[in-house]
Structure formats: structure tokens, C-alpha cells
Amino acid sequence: MNDIQYIAGYALIVIGMGFDVLGCVGLIRLPDAYNRLHATTKCITLGTCAILFGTFILKGFCVTGAKAIICAVFILAISNVVGHALARSAHKSGVKLCEKSAIDKYKEDGN
Amino acid sequence: MKPRLILFVFMFIIWMFLGWNINTHNVIAGLLVAGVITLVMGNLFASTPHYFGHGTKYLWFLWYVPVFAWECLKANIDVGRRILSPSLPINPGIIKVRTTIKSDIGLTILANSVTLTPGTLCVDMDIEKGFLYIHCIDVGSYDMDKYALGIVDKFERILKKIFY
């Protein structure tokens, strides 16, 4: 394994962990359910995917690297469906937006 | 028959990626698993098989990936800054955005891209009128009369080339 591969892989993993920590901070600090979902989707895109790509760079084209890539693709395909379903069901079951919210077009349109 | 064949080949490639070494056991198991999945799923995966033959669509998709990654990176840094700043400068709200994409798969990819970008979260969509309801962490750049959001336009322009 050469140095560039090593440094790039570990740099991506450290960046990913940093963004995952930011996502957790957001999960605690942000006010309502919808804003907290933003924090979780944020975790996924740059946090977890960066960790998985870092693993791929470190391991190269082998069993582990290929699985990391497939994991990243599946997480990208599925996590947003979960976020969408949670937000829609929260709104349908009457979870209010926080007081800071500017507009709610979804409620105005009678949903 | 053609949609099933595409699904079969796709599943077999994924199986070979997961197993990674090409030997007899792996290939036979992969053929079996791909065959069972094809029998169960039928033509749900590829409902419009003739689109898989269009070469330019793949090129547009290859262009879509870096555009999406760049938007994602910018939005990540923006949301991270908002979370870390002590005054928590958020201005959330659910907004209505017009889209001109008609096909199901195109709308799905558009909504998923919007949800994956931090700071915007697709709550619901009105397929007949072509509206997306998006929860934004900051509704400042939203134009109330035009029903337009910059990030959706950027994705939509490329996705209209791929899907219709």
C-alpha cells in the first residue's frame, strides 16, 4: 500500500466521522422532528458514505472494497426513502412544526 | 421477457461483486439467486426496457453524479455551519416547488436527490399537478410566486434528459 492511498483513505474516514459527529450534534440541538431528519440525512451523505469510500480506497478492489461500494449505493438508495416516509407520516399524524417555522404550504393545501 | 433479462443480469452482477471471486460455486449460486429474484420480481424493475439501450442517457447520468456530489458537499457545509453556530440560524418551513418531470422513476430520483441533499427534505408530492412539498431548513432563497427552488432546477434540468 503506498502512502497516498493510505493518507487519502484515512483522511476520508476522519472527515466522515467528523460529519457524523456534526449530525449527532444537530440531532440534539435542532428543534422539531423535521429539522432533526435533516441532521440524519446529512450524516448519511457525507458522513457514512465518506467512511465507506475511505474503506474502499484503503482496501482497493477486493472483497471488502467491493462490499463497501455496494453498501454506499444501498445506503444512498434507502436512507432518503426512510426520511421521506418519516416526514410524511409525522405530518399526517399531526406533529407540529416548531414556532420558528415560516410557512407550511403542505397544511395550507389541505393535507 | 426483456425486463426480466435485464433484472437477471443486474442481480447476477451484484452477486458477483458481493462474492468477488469467480469460481464454479459462486457462479452457480449467483445464477440460482438471480433466477429466484427474477421469478419473484417479474418486470417491476425495468418497466421500460427500451430506455436501457440509449447511450446518451448513461452519459447524462455520469454527469449527474458529480453535479449532485458538489451540491451535496456545499449543502453539508452550510448545514454544519448552522448547527455549530450558537444562535442556531435556521428558518424552516414546508414549501411548494413546481416540477415538470412526469415519469414515476424520474420523480422518484428527483425526490430522493432532494432528500439526500442536507437542508432539504421531500415530504410529499402531488403527481397530477406536478408539485413537490419540500421541508427546507432555510426558506430564505425561495421565491413564493414562482414555486422555484434553485437546487431542484439544477437536478431537474439533467434528470429531464435521462427520464422524461
Side-chain angles (χ1 to χ4, degrees):
Chain A
M1 194 194 307
N2 55 36
D3 283 348
I4 296 171
Q5 193 183 1
Y6 193 77
I7 292 168
Y10 274 103
L12 268 179
I13 289 179
V14 167
I15 289 171
M17 281 165 72
F19 273 98
D20 270 1
V21 169
L22 272 184
C24 294
V25 173
L27 199 61
I28 297 166
R29 286 202 70 195
L30 289 169
D32 64 348
Y34 307 97
N35 285 313
R36 285 178 176 170
L37 279 172
H38 286 302
T40 54
T41 52
K42 190 177 121 51
C43 260
I44 290 297
T45 48
L46 214 69
T48 313
C49 280
I51 292 175
L52 287 168
F53 275 114
T55 314
F56 169 69
I57 289 174
L58 278 181
K59 294 288 178 187
F61 282 100
C62 67
V63 182
T64 321
K67 275 177 187 150
I69 289 291
I70 288 183
C71 272
V73 171
F74 277 127
I75 285 178
L76 282 178
I78 289 164
S79 72
N80 43 29
V81 178
V82 176
H84 164 73
L86 280 174
R88 187 167 182 271
S89 54
H91 205 286
K92 292 266 178 203
S93 57
V95 176
K96 297 267 192 304
L97 276 73
C98 68
E99 295 90 37
K100 270 183 163 181
S101 301
I103 49 172
D104 188 353
K105 283 274 181 193
Y106 194 48
K107 203 174 185 180
E108 283 171 25
D109 285 5
N111 284 297
Chain B
M1 200 58 221
K2 210 174 168 189
R4 285 161 197 265
L5 193 69
I6 292 168
L7 178 65
F8 184 80
V9 171
F10 197 71
M11 288 297 142
F12 186 66
I13 290 171
I14 287 182
W15 177 271
M16 293 316 282
F17 260 105
L18 281 174
W20 197 251
N21 47 359
I22 298 172
N23 53 28
T24 326
H25 299 125
N26 211 353
V27 171
I28 290 172
L31 288 174
L32 275 176
V33 170
V36 169
I37 291 174
T38 312
L39 278 180
V40 175
M41 290 285 286
N43 46 16
L44 282 175
F45 174 68
S47 50
T48 50
H50 52 281
Y51 284 122
F52 282 87
H54 292 185
T56 50
K57 288 185 191 292
Y58 294 100
L59 288 179
W60 277 109
F61 187 75
L62 280 182
W63 172 236
Y64 180 67
V65 172
V67 167
F68 171 70
W70 176 240
E71 291 297 326
C72 213
L73 188 70
K74 278 197 298 189
N76 255 305
I77 291 164
D78 180 57
V79 175
R81 191 178 53 76
R82 282 173 204 280
I83 286 172
L84 282 182
S85 67
S87 59
L88 206 63
I90 58 169
N91 185 21
I94 295 181
I95 60 173
K96 199 160 117 177
V97 175
R98 175 173 285 132
T99 175
T100 49
I101 295 179
K102 292 278 178 263
S103 67
D104 282 353
I105 180 72
L107 278 170
T108 310
I109 301 259
L110 179 66
N112 279 355
S113 306
V114 166
T115 307
L116 268 182
T117 316
T120 50
L121 174 77
C122 188
V123 178
D124 203 354
M125 59 171 84
D126 191 337
I127 296 174
E128 279 111 45
K129 290 174 193 157
F131 283 118
L132 292 172
Y133 295 96
I134 296 176
H135 184 277
C136 269
I137 206 163
D138 179 29
V139 293
S141 63
Y142 174 64
D143 191 345
M144 208 71 82
D145 300 321
K146 285 182 181 167
Y147 296 119
L149 191 70
I151 201 164
V152 177
D153 288 345
K154 271 178 207 155
F155 292 154
E156 195 180 37
R157 213 174 301 138
I158 302 174
L159 283 174
K160 275 190 90 163
K161 301 270 201 309
I162 306 173
F163 310 101
Y164 57 96

